[in-house]
């Protein structure tokens, strides 16, 4: 299965439409919140199944604002991440995945792309195509699953659409990225 994972589009879908023209064989789109209506709109517009969840900008304040994507590799938890406080720690999101017997989590909220494996659970944050907070001009994730494996990669908008603007990093940028509290 090949999955396009996006997050934090905030009502602006032009970059998603741009990258869609370059993608092939996408079986599922996962939209990890802010705005759930963007995910629903993409599903009807692109004629592909979408799993979308509410984010903090959707008024989502329930611990039950998550969905599960079933793949041949196993279950993937889809949540925005604000209720799990992902800006400060991934512990809560890992516990949520364990509670739901998921082997991976797709989340957003930080607007910073990130992939890691912790305690046997893949954590995948595609970042934001619309409002990135890593100094890039936006990112998304491509996830490929088989019965035996999950492979996820971050793709930067500029890499696909031409040019290369690497993300900026550093202590001060990190502080600024996390200063909005939710």
């Amino acid at each position: 299965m090949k999955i396009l994972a996006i997050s934090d589009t905030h009502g602006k879908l032009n970059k998603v439409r741009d990258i869609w023209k370059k993608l092939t064989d996408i079986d599922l789109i996962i939209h990890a919140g802010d705005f759930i209506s963007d995910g629903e709109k993409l599903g009807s517009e692109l004629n592909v199944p979408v799993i979308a969840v509410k984010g903090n900008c959707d008024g989502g304040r329930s611990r039950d604002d998550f969905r599960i994507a079933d793949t041949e590799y196993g279950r993937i938890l889809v949540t925005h991440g604000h209720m799990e406080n992902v800006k400060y720690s991934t512990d809560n999101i890992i516990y949520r995945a364990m509670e739901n017997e998921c082997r991976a989590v797709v989340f957003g909220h930080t607007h910073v792309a990130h992939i890691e494996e912790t305690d046997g659970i893949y954590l995948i944050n595609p970042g934001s195509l619309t409002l990135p907070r890593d100094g890039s001009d936006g990112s998304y994730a491509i996830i490929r699953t088989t019965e035996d494996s999950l492979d996820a990669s971050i793709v930067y908008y500029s890499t696909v659409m031409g040019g290369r603007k690497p993300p900026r990093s550093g202590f001060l940028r990190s502080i600024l990225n996390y200063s909005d509290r939710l």
Side-chain angles (χ1 to χ4, degrees):
M1 176 178 263
K2 186 175 176 184
I3 302 167
L4 168 63
I6 57 175
S7 179
D8 298 289
T9 50
H10 292 271
K12 297 176 182 170
L13 297 174
N14 289 340
K15 285 185 174 181
V16 179
R17 291 179 185 111
D18 289 348
I19 63 162
W20 184 257
K21 295 172 190 171
K22 306 245 181 199
L23 296 172
T24 58
D25 304 323
I26 298 294
D27 299 302
L28 175 68
I29 296 174
I30 291 177
H31 189 289
D34 283 349
F35 296 164
I36 191 170
S37 59
D38 290 353
E40 294 164 350
K41 184 183 289 185
L42 288 171
S44 61
E45 188 178 308
L46 303 176
N47 198 29
V48 65
V50 173
I51 293 178
V53 295
K54 288 182 178 181
N56 56 299
C57 291
D58 293 299
R61 295 278 183 228
S62 169
R63 214 174 113 66
D64 296 327
D65 283 335
F66 69 90
R67 303 261 320 267
I68 303 290
D70 289 309
T71 72
E72 65 273 51
Y73 178 72
R75 295 161 56 100
I76 299 175
L77 177 73
V78 181
T79 184
H80 186 57
H82 62 296
M83 294 302 294
E84 294 85 10
N85 295 313
V86 296
K87 287 187 177 182
Y88 306 102
S89 171
T90 55
D91 290 347
N92 291 333
I93 210 163
I94 291 168
Y95 299 144
R96 172 67 58 93
M98 290 176 176
E99 289 171 355
N100 288 281
E101 299 176 354
C102 294
R103 298 182 75 182
V105 181
V106 174
F107 66 101
H109 191 54
T110 66
H111 296 231
V112 176
H114 181 78
I115 296 174
E116 72 175 279
E117 183 183 0
T118 302
D119 296 327
I121 297 172
Y122 289 94
L123 303 176
I124 304 161
N125 186 330
S128 173
L129 278 166
T130 304
L131 300 167
R133 293 181 181 161
D134 61 359
S136 75
D137 60 353
S139 60
Y140 60 95
I142 295 293
I143 304 166
R144 290 179 175 85
T145 61
T146 67
E147 283 186 32
D148 302 321
S149 68
L150 181 144
D151 178 55
S153 57
I154 299 298
V155 183
Y156 289 93
Y157 181 80
S158 58
T159 304
V160 173
M161 300 310 294
R164 181 143 175 83
K165 184 180 176 185
R168 290 182 243 143
S169 64
F171 178 71
L172 182 57
R173 178 163 295 281
S174 176
I175 290 171
L176 293 172
N177 283 347
Y178 293 103
S179 65
D180 68 344
R181 298 287 183 241
L182 282 178

